[in-house]
Amino acid sequence: MPDLDAFEERAAIAEHDGGLSRAEAETFAAQEQGFETPAGLVSAAVAGWRDRLEALARTEASPGGRDCIAQALRFIADGWAGKAVMLGWSELELFGTDVHASWERHDRLGAAYSMSPPSAVTADTIAYRGSGPTPLRRYREPQADSLRLPWDQPNNDEGSGGMT
């Protein structure tokens, strides 16, 4: 599985300290992990997330959890995860879950779990289609210490992906 954090760090170093353009630095950083291009690295990361979410869906007992996972899989299938990553969104910002909250606490879940489909993504915002004239928006914000990736959390007896 590609390491997106290492990719970002290596690209930044190559750009700032090595004097490479951003595109050259990202290509260099992707090649350091064995990928020809940054797009290849992102595609591999997205495929890994899909596989992990599909495995999680097979074990998730709560209906709310299954709904959230299904939405995250749609987020991936519709190409939003790859676009978001290319704009700097982290794995945790997209797929993180709060170990102290249930799947029903959408304010404590990553951007991919929204029940409304996305309509646009920028480096700072994901807009979702809502029922009103103004789209719902998710802004990037500092990550809580309690955020974890659901596939990295031990499963509990209630099937909440490790969440309480």
Side-chain angles (χ1 to χ4, degrees):
M1 180 88 173
D3 185 338
L4 292 173
D5 290 334
F7 166 76
E8 287 294 332
E9 182 178 357
R10 188 69 175 136
I13 291 169
E15 180 182 14
H16 294 279
D17 295 346
L20 299 178
S21 71
R22 184 64 187 178
E24 292 169 329
E26 287 180 348
T27 298
F28 173 76
Q31 291 172 348
E32 289 282 302
Q33 291 192 40
F35 297 92
E36 261 187 67
T37 64
L41 181 134
V42 169
S43 292
V46 169
W49 297 332
R50 184 194 62 240
D51 293 346
R52 288 175 169 162
L53 284 165
E54 287 173 346
L56 187 61
R58 290 190 291 273
T59 62
E60 180 55 48
S62 75
R66 288 192 304 271
D67 288 345
C68 287
I69 293 166
Q71 186 58 34
L73 287 167
R74 279 189 292 276
F75 185 83
I76 289 171
D78 291 345
W80 295 107
K83 290 176 186 175
V85 167
M86 292 301 286
L87 290 167
W89 287 74
S90 73
E91 180 180 35
L92 206 53
E93 289 171 315
L94 296 174
F95 300 104
T97 57
D98 192 317
V99 296
H100 303 297
S102 71
W103 285 108
E104 285 71 27
R105 288 290 310 270
H106 292 272
D107 61 320
R108 307 292 292 267
L109 297 173
Y113 301 111
S114 174
M115 290 298 128
S116 298
S119 59
V121 63
T122 70
D124 299 316
T125 308
I126 296 178
Y128 302 91
R129 294 181 194 102
S131 58
T134 305
L136 304 169
R137 296 191 188 284
R138 172 71 170 257
Y139 298 95
R140 290 181 77 184
E141 54 192 45
Q143 299 169 8
D145 289 339
S146 58
L147 272 181
R148 302 290 183 271
L149 295 167
W151 47 81
D152 290 342
Q153 297 177 34
N155 237 345
N156 66 18
D157 295 335
E158 297 167 14
S160 62
M163 299 177 349
T164 57

